[in-house]
Amino acid sequence: MFLDTRVLRHLTAEDWRVLTAVEMGSKNHELVPTPLIERIARLKGGASGVHKSIATLAKSGLIGRMKEAKYDGYRLTYGGLDYLALHTHSSKDVVYSVGSRVGVGKESDIMIVADKTGKQKILKIHRLGRISFRTVKSNRDYLRNRQGGSWMYLSRLAAMKEYAFMQALQEEGFPVPEPISQSRHTIVMSLVESLPLRQVSSVPDPASLYAELIDLILRLAKHGLIHGDFNEFNILIKEERTNKYTIEDGEEKEEETVTLVPIIIDFPQMVSMDHVNAEMYFDRDVECIKRFFKKRFHFVPTSPGPFFKDAKKTVGKDGARRLDAAVEASGFTKKMLKELEKAIEEQQAKIDAGEAVAEDEELEDDEEDDDEDNSDDEEDEEDGQEEEVQAVFEIPASVGRPVED
Ligand code: ADP
Ligand code: MG
């Protein structure tokens, strides 16, 4: 499933109100009873064609019925939540048009978007619950105990966490994309014109790039953080060109120097240096870089380490602000961190055990749009991140007009 903006232009104000009503109802109901949708929508805008809107939204796949439901009701689909988020971003003038998808992971979709001035940005849509569990329907306590351990809640947590960390890291001068806006399960950030390290076949000086990346790991540690997924997909390499002018034999010469600047992305799994498994995460990040540099650039550092125990001693030193604490203070509580972490772990365990099914399989057939693309998508998710970055610099259509893809 990916963002499909074709239906956007058909939606009336009434449809939006009903869609919002379903979202509001979802806070307390996994399946929002139809009478409740009617009531919330009417409260917001007077009686009228709520039913017509429900039909339109269901037909467009923005809300769905569930198979074997005990009562008549609807729930938001990913599509519905995507639309609500886009609506918010566009009302804040952050997003005007939606372009192509640059990447798809197991847990996110990455789209190029642009504002009214044509400035391009990245929309990251968290899809933590893209996979749901067969057992969910028969075991509703599972959801209740976790206070909506639903995909909607978890994806929103992932987006909130990522946004909070991106903001804190940016404030501290770390090389990260600029966080622009967050709504529900999505964030908008600046587009980094770059290639993921994964797609970089050679660099002039592997030793210095390696040192820079290790330095980033240590700088994060000093601020109390471990990236947790510091791999060649999550490090973007930007080329910065500078021109140097020199006078040689009375003649002016221009020399271009290219510097490679690493930018770090992807923060939902970041952990504190105080985490019980901090050492494991730290070592894994270091190993990841070492392995990649050896394989890709045949570079092996001369000295071992860096080691967790040394990094641990630097936490908060020299007046370094604890960003793990700062993020918590910004409203992302320990409880939320735990919930998110637990959900990611549980989900992974279910996937490993082969118990997971694609989210949309639970929708009734007649509400599934003919172009649902689960099967194809799920297949290339593993290597989806390898999609060409260059292929995206085009905005085919604006929000409110159909997207040809
Ligand atoms: P996931 O959580 O699915 O791994 P990421 O945040 O790592 O998502 O993004 C996936 C891919 O999308 C990256 O490997 C990169 O190619 C591209 N990407 C993400 N954010 C940006 C950005 N701000 N600028 C340019 N490319 C980006
Ligand atoms: Mg990633």
Side-chain angles (χ1 to χ4, degrees):
M1 126 118 248
F2 67 95
L3 187 64
D4 177 354
T5 51
R6 270 172 292 187
V7 201
L8 270 176
R9 68 167 171 168
H10 301 302
L11 297 188
T12 62
E14 176 87 12
D15 297 339
W16 281 110
R17 196 163 64 235
V18 174
L19 188 58
T20 309
V22 178
E23 183 186 37
M24 289 169 74
S26 303
K27 287 188 183 123
N28 297 312
H29 299 266
E30 194 198 348
L31 188 65
V32 191
T34 308
L36 181 65
I37 300 174
E38 285 167 15
R39 212 156 57 230
I40 302 174
R42 284 215 192 106
L43 282 177
K44 291 190 83 199
S48 58
V50 176
H51 278 271
K52 192 163 156 265
S53 290
I54 287 180
T56 305
L57 296 171
K59 196 161 167 284
S60 314
L62 303 185
I63 59 175
R65 274 206 163 97
M66 275 165 95
K67 286 176 193 163
E68 302 155 31
K70 301 222 166 60
Y71 56 88
D72 186 40
Y74 293 85
R75 48 160 222 177
L76 267 188
T77 64
Y78 258 129
L81 195 65
D82 291 353
Y83 271 33
L84 287 165
L86 261 188
H87 199 62
T88 301
H89 290 307
S90 91
S91 68
K92 288 195 280 184
D93 274 341
V94 167
V95 173
Y96 176 69
S97 60
V98 177
S100 38
R101 185 168 47 159
V102 235
V104 50
K106 254 200 219 81
E107 277 148 17
S108 82
D109 285 334
I110 309 285
M111 316 278 305
I112 296 270
V113 294
D115 63 18
K116 275 204 172 116
T117 70
K119 188 174 159 60
Q120 297 187 343
K121 301 166 190 183
I122 289 283
L123 171 72
K124 178 167 179 178
I125 308 173
H126 286 268
R127 304 258 188 234
L128 231 157
R130 195 198 295 271
I131 314 273
S132 71
F133 313 133
R134 280 187 203 286
T135 50
V136 165
K137 265 184 292 170
S138 54
N139 180 13
R140 294 190 187 269
D141 283 347
Y142 170 84
L143 283 172
R144 220 168 277 140
N145 290 343
R146 298 256 249 86
Q147 194 237 325
S150 64
W151 54 267
M152 225 190 294
Y153 175 68
L154 295 169
S155 299
R156 187 165 66 88
L157 280 192
M160 281 171 64
K161 179 177 172 188
E162 177 151 50
Y163 194 74
F165 274 112
M166 215 185 281
Q167 274 183 322
L169 290 168
Q170 196 205 26
E171 279 166 24
E172 223 45 59
F174 278 91
V176 297
E178 180 200 344
I180 298 170
S181 168
Q182 189 241 319
S183 169
R184 300 172 177 85
H185 62 324
T186 69
I187 58 183
V188 179
M189 63 184 124
S190 64
L191 168 74
V192 181
E193 306 253 7
S194 59
L195 282 179
L197 181 56
R198 165 80 188 185
Q199 289 178 20
V200 175
S201 52
S202 69
V203 292
D205 187 0
S208 80
L209 183 61
Y210 173 82
E212 216 172 317
L213 293 174
I214 294 295
D215 187 56
L216 276 172
I217 292 179
L218 294 176
R219 248 175 89 197
L220 285 171
K222 202 168 170 178
H223 286 276
L225 293 177
I226 302 167
H227 184 281
D229 199 7
F230 204 70
N231 64 35
E232 62 272 25
F233 296 102
N234 293 333
I235 296 163
L236 304 180
I237 302 294
K238 203 167 108 180
E239 286 189 345
E240 259 175 27
R241 292 167 190 278
T242 42
N243 290 324
K244 213 169 83 186
Y245 295 94
T246 47
I247 308 280
E248 218 172 84
D249 300 332
E251 267 185 49
E252 194 180 331
K253 274 183 75 178
E254 183 184 340
E255 209 184 309
E256 191 185 59
T257 46
V258 180
T259 324
L260 300 183
V261 183
I263 311 283
I264 341 169
I265 57 167
D266 204 355
F267 311 107
Q269 70 296 310
M270 273 212 147
V271 294
S272 159
M273 281 290 281
D274 292 340
H275 189 282
V276 278
N277 298 322
E279 180 156 15
M280 184 275 284
Y281 288 120
F282 181 90
D283 289 347
R284 199 175 66 183
D285 277 2
V286 171
E287 262 331 294
C288 219
I289 292 304
K290 285 193 170 167
R291 202 179 322 117
F292 181 77
F293 268 69
K294 185 170 175 199
K295 202 170 133 217
R296 179 64 57 86
F297 307 126
H298 310 293
F299 171 82
V300 180
T302 48
S303 53
F307 300 106
F308 177 74
K309 63 174 178 6
D310 301 321
K312 180 84 184 170
K313 287 181 205 141
T314 70
V315 176
K317 286 282 146 61
D318 308 322
R321 186 161 71 109
R322 294 276 312 236
L323 296 184
D324 46 350
V327 164
E328 224 177 274
S330 82
F332 204 90
T333 61
K334 268 211 181 76
K335 181 169 163 278
M336 288 162 133
L337 283 175
K338 285 231 174 70
E339 257 174 329
L340 185 58
E341 192 181 322
K342 185 153 167 270
I344 294 171
E345 273 170 15
E346 277 175 16
Q347 180 160 294
Q348 194 55 49
K350 292 273 182 182
I351 292 169
D352 294 346
E355 283 177 37
V357 292
E359 174 78 12
D360 290 340
E361 276 178 35
E362 289 188 6
L363 283 181
E364 274 187 0
D365 290 346
D366 60 324
E367 272 135 23
E368 241 175 276
D369 240 332
D370 48 8
D371 56 0
E372 283 290 342
D373 61 339
N374 309 326
S375 49
D376 287 352
D377 256 40
E378 240 72 81
E379 261 165 39
D380 54 37
E381 268 170 18
E382 280 301 331
D383 53 4
Q385 292 189 320
E386 290 180 49
E387 272 176 49
E388 294 279 308
V389 170
Q390 291 98 322
V392 302
F393 299 113
E394 194 188 350
I395 301 290
S398 67
V399 172
R401 300 213 317 271
V403 170
E404 255 82 57
D405 47 13

